[in-house]
Amino acid sequence: MTKSEESRHVAVSLVYSPQTKKLLMVTSRAHPDLWIFPKGGIEPGETSGQAAVRESWEEAGTPPSLPAPEDEERLMMLALPSKKNGSIWHVHILEVNEDVVECIQQWPESHERERKWFTASECLSNIQDWTNIPSENTHDNHSETPIIAEAKGNPIAHNHEEHVKERDAQKKQQKKEKKAGAMELALRQFIELKGGML
């Protein structure tokens, strides 16, 4: 298997405050109105636990000095198949008190994302929002400005362009739903581990 055929390995951080029994989420850069758990690609020479700590620092401003969990301490691994290579999520729990995180005001992506602590049930609701909000350009989400084809334009080509836009929007929505499903699965596993703390 060549490198281009390999699945992308992603570290996902469930940042949990034992002090308040809340989890930390950040806004998505691609969808600023939606909340996600900090996550990102595992770099060469990095364990999934080290990547989880680094991504949480970069995206959510958790202390970069948090101890990196060992691979065998992973909450779970999830495979997200796709037509290309898909990805494998390595889900880790990082425990840190909420007030420790709140002392950190600047972090690498603080100008790009919001962060907020949520109860487990609020996290679940945030994740379900990923499937409730349709992608832009879907068939039911009409633009306020009508699209006018050029008088000399080929109507078949115009219809093809609309079909491509609609297909791309459907793919985006499917990708969002797949991510939401993986996040929900990880959260439910975490809740079960903590004794059903919804």
Side-chain angles (χ1 to χ4, degrees):
M1 183 182 291
T2 64
K3 189 158 183 72
S4 62
E5 294 172 326
E6 291 176 5
S7 295
R8 180 173 181 252
H9 286 261
V10 174
V12 182
S13 304
L14 299 185
V15 181
Y16 174 65
S17 172
Q19 171 194 39
T20 59
K21 299 194 172 12
K22 290 185 177 180
L23 292 144
L24 187 62
M25 298 187 86
V26 294
T27 50
S28 165
R29 281 195 296 202
H31 308 282
D33 53 336
L34 298 176
W35 295 89
I36 59 171
F37 294 117
K39 67 180 183 61
I42 300 172
E43 295 178 354
E46 192 177 45
T47 68
S48 61
Q50 289 168 336
V53 171
R54 177 182 52 76
E55 288 293 339
S56 294
W57 154 244
E58 291 174 0
E59 295 187 359
T62 58
S65 59
L66 287 177
E70 299 293 331
D71 283 350
E72 56 269 18
E73 296 177 291
R74 272 187 297 245
L75 176 66
M76 66 192 317
M77 287 176 68
L78 295 165
L80 276 72
S82 72
K83 283 188 177 177
K84 290 187 179 178
N85 309 333
S87 60
I88 297 173
W89 284 14
H90 302 251
V91 183
H92 288 280
I93 300 168
L94 302 179
E95 291 197 1
V96 58
N97 281 341
E98 189 174 328
D99 55 4
V100 172
V101 176
E102 293 307 307
C103 288
I104 300 171
Q105 297 298 311
Q106 293 293 320
W107 61 94
E109 297 182 17
S110 57
H111 60 292
E112 299 175 81
R113 299 179 190 270
E114 289 181 48
R115 70 178 179 196
K116 190 173 177 183
W117 295 89
F118 295 98
T119 64
S121 60
E122 289 169 337
C123 288
L124 190 58
S125 177
N126 289 340
I127 290 166
Q128 289 167 347
D129 284 344
W130 279 80
T131 56
N132 296 336
I133 300 174
S135 295
E136 294 172 10
N137 300 324
T138 58
H139 186 69
D140 296 328
N141 188 12
H142 300 291
S143 168
E144 289 181 9
T145 309
I147 300 169
I148 301 170
E150 292 178 10
K152 294 180 184 177
N154 181 342
I156 294 173
H158 180 70
N159 289 340
H160 175 72
E161 185 180 308
E162 287 302 304
H163 176 71
V164 168
K165 280 184 183 178
E166 189 170 325
R167 187 188 65 211
D168 288 348
Q170 288 171 348
K171 281 183 182 176
K172 282 181 185 176
Q173 183 64 18
Q174 287 169 353
K175 189 175 177 183
K176 282 164 65 177
E177 288 174 4
K178 197 180 291 183
K179 283 183 178 179
M183 283 193 290
E184 181 171 342
L185 193 58
L187 177 62
R188 288 189 183 280
Q189 182 73 17
F190 171 81
I191 291 166
E192 188 177 321
L193 181 72
K194 294 294 182 184
M197 44 153 271
L198 268 175

